[in-house]
Amino acid sequence: MEAGAISSSDGGCSDEQQEHDENHSQEVQKYEARKPKWWMKLSGRRGTRAQRQTIERMTQCGYCFSRQVLSDFSRVNNSAKHSSSAAEQLSSDSWRRVWWNRSLAVVDENDDAAQVTPIIDTVSNSRNVKHAQKIQSMYSNKSPLVPQKFERIVLEIGFGSGDNILANAMRDKSTLFVGSEIHQPGCGTVLQKMEAEMGLKMRAEGSDIEEKKIDTTTSISSENSGDAPNKATSYENVRILQGDGVKLLSHLPCKYLDAILITFPDPWPKEGHSHWRVVQPNVLVEMHRVLKCDGKVFVATDAECFNDWTRNIFTQESSKGDWEEVTPCPNRSTWLPIVSYYEQKGIDEGRHTMLQCWKKK
Ligand SMILES: C[S@@+](CC[C@H](N)C(=O)[O-])C[C@H]1O[C@@H](n2cnc3c(N)ncnc32)[C@H](O)[C@@H]1O
């Protein structure tokens, strides 16, 4: 990926802007994460046994996050909010930054882990044992991968089988690509590709979990290790979250992402179903909060209804001074280098692809 298409700066966002975002978020409609039962059934929630095993192995290696992480994160943060002033700090932005950097194995000179450690101890001591243990384990979460410095962090919401995230990760090693997908088979598919490409499964066979962790960590950190198969660095800039990308936004710290990609999302064409579309006014508020200054949202769709809906909502929010459209839209080869199964299906059925890019102001 060319840095120009998705790069953003971290300076210049004022506290007033943040306050504006917070006030704004109270006015807008809520995102409807719970989908209808018939949709859940159709979308096949469970992956195959092999996929589930891969998800398990890749979670142990640090490339995958389980849904449980998000629910623990929100449970601990919610209860912390209502307890003590020390606990309040646990849900603060600096904590989130430290937590995500550690969990994604990102080196960031701006986080100050030493400053926040005593807060965990205070909170853990002041609660009942079970809750204290939960907090300890939640806040001690750390990726087994060797932390690295990335120039950019990009989130793709609803990556399907993950071809785009993998293609982007291959072409731009200086960017960390975080993908979220609610469909377990989709997560299984992309992780199987990663595991095969990096030779992780081969390494894991015949070893216990501890050995796998050490072996994997060592293998991806030593580019010239000479071990066969030596493709271990291929996807070290990819992290997969099996869960709702919109919910994930609410857990991220402010000004954390450089870009958000939404490619061929479910269009929910019936007017009465529009509240299930990924792009909603309140989702834009969260996107605005988590993007760095000049951070961008890229949207690709072949559904007229979704394209118009997205443009209307962004235009509405732009009138409040939050967004501006980037025209012409940056070349798709810099963010959508592949033609996915869903795009091809649309082309075969006579639809055409529409692209939009919106920049945070
Ligand atoms: C039509 S598919 C497109 C997949 C892929 N982007 C592509 O171009 O092939 C839409 C995907 O978004 C996923 N999805 C929908 N809402 C989501 C959400 N809130 N968080 C994560 N994934 C979501 C669905 O499970 C589905 O796999």
Side-chain angles (χ1 to χ4, degrees):
M1 178 178 287
E2 277 172 26
I6 55 160
S7 64
S8 56
S9 64
D10 199 7
C13 286
S14 64
D15 289 345
E16 292 107 83
Q17 182 65 58
Q18 212 172 305
E19 203 178 300
H20 163 81
D21 291 350
E22 278 160 19
N23 294 339
H24 191 181
S25 67
Q26 288 161 9
E27 294 164 17
V28 294
Q29 194 190 328
K30 222 172 172 317
Y31 163 70
E32 188 75 68
R34 192 177 289 278
K35 304 290 189 296
K37 268 194 185 141
W38 60 263
W39 186 87
M40 308 271 268
K41 227 174 171 182
L42 268 182
S43 69
R45 304 287 289 173
R46 222 162 125 85
T48 62
R49 189 158 177 257
Q51 285 173 331
R52 295 200 306 274
Q53 286 170 342
T54 300
I55 290 172
E56 174 75 31
R57 283 193 297 270
M58 293 296 270
T59 304
Q60 297 287 349
C61 294
Y63 292 101
C64 179
F65 284 84
S66 72
R67 255 176 307 204
Q68 190 59 36
V69 168
L70 280 195
S71 49
D72 284 354
F73 197 99
S74 56
R75 199 173 306 132
V76 170
N77 274 320
N78 283 339
S79 61
K81 267 186 218 157
H82 305 291
S83 52
S84 68
S85 59
E88 261 170 46
Q89 293 174 59
L90 274 174
S91 55
S92 75
D93 204 61
S94 56
W95 236 116
R96 287 182 186 216
R97 189 168 296 277
V98 172
W99 193 88
W100 280 102
N101 285 340
R102 277 189 195 162
S103 303
L104 295 171
V106 167
V107 172
D108 179 353
E109 289 103 14
N110 298 324
D111 72 24
D112 190 356
Q115 214 181 23
V116 289
T117 305
I119 304 173
I120 313 178
D121 298 337
T122 318
V123 175
S124 307
N125 292 336
S126 68
R127 294 182 159 270
N128 69 47
V129 176
K130 213 172 158 197
H131 194 77
Q133 280 170 349
K134 189 86 176 161
I135 288 183
Q136 285 288 6
S137 79
M138 183 61 206
Y139 282 96
S140 313
N141 192 43
K142 193 167 180 275
S143 173
L145 295 171
V146 175
Q148 280 184 69
K149 197 165 164 24
F150 293 100
E151 282 169 28
R152 288 170 293 277
I153 305 182
V154 171
L155 170 67
E156 181 163 345
I157 299 178
F159 57 71
S161 56
D163 293 335
N164 196 49
I165 197 170
L166 295 186
N168 275 330
M170 273 290 195
R171 39 192 300 126
D172 182 0
K173 295 284 172 203
S174 57
T175 297
L176 177 71
F177 291 91
V178 181
S180 84
E181 172 56 62
I182 47 179
H183 194 213
Q184 193 183 58
C187 292
T189 303
V190 71
L191 289 166
Q192 280 178 323
K193 287 178 196 163
M194 288 170 64
E195 191 179 48
E197 181 70 22
M198 294 193 281
L200 295 178
K201 189 177 178 191
M202 208 178 289
R203 285 163 188 272
E205 274 166 5
S207 353
D208 64 20
I209 296 273
E210 260 330 290
E211 283 171 344
K212 264 187 266 174
K213 275 197 215 171
I214 294 161
D215 194 20
T216 307
T217 310
T218 312
S219 68
I220 64 144
S221 62
S222 52
E223 288 189 27
N224 303 317
S225 66
D227 288 356
N230 193 12
K231 285 182 174 179
T233 54
S234 324
Y235 293 127
E236 66 182 281
N237 57 338
V238 178
R239 309 283 183 269
I240 298 298
L241 173 89
Q242 194 197 325
D244 191 315
V246 174
K247 287 188 185 169
L248 167 68
L249 292 175
S250 64
H251 298 306
L252 292 175
C254 295
K255 299 171 200 160
Y256 198 64
L257 302 177
D258 292 82
I260 297 169
L261 312 187
I262 303 173
T263 61
F264 302 91
D266 302 309
W268 295 101
K270 289 186 186 166
E271 215 33 64
H273 291 169
S274 59
H275 52 287
W276 283 312
R277 291 177 188 153
V278 163
V279 175
Q280 298 290 342
N282 67 316
V283 176
L284 256 56
V285 173
E286 278 302 292
M287 287 181 174
H288 196 273
R289 185 184 66 78
V290 300
L291 281 172
K292 294 178 190 166
C293 287
D294 296 338
K296 297 182 186 102
V297 179
F298 293 85
V299 181
T301 181
D302 59 9
E304 300 266 2
C305 63
F306 192 90
N307 195 52
D308 294 347
W309 168 270
T310 301
R311 169 149 287 117
N312 284 342
I313 294 177
F314 269 103
T315 307
Q316 218 172 301
E317 299 300 306
S318 302
S319 65
K320 296 169 187 156
D322 288 354
W323 300 94
E324 71 180 340
E325 186 164 15
V326 180
T327 49
C329 183
N331 191 316
R332 66 172 283 172
S333 65
T334 62
W335 59 280
L336 183 61
I338 55 109
V339 174
S340 71
Y341 166 81
Y342 285 99
E343 181 172 14
Q344 190 57 53
K345 187 167 178 280
I347 293 168
D348 295 345
E349 291 170 9
R351 294 189 291 278
H352 69 282
T353 298
M354 292 158 276
L355 309 175
Q356 294 182 43
C357 175
W358 294 84
K359 186 168 83 171
K360 170 178 170 169
K361 272 170 68 178

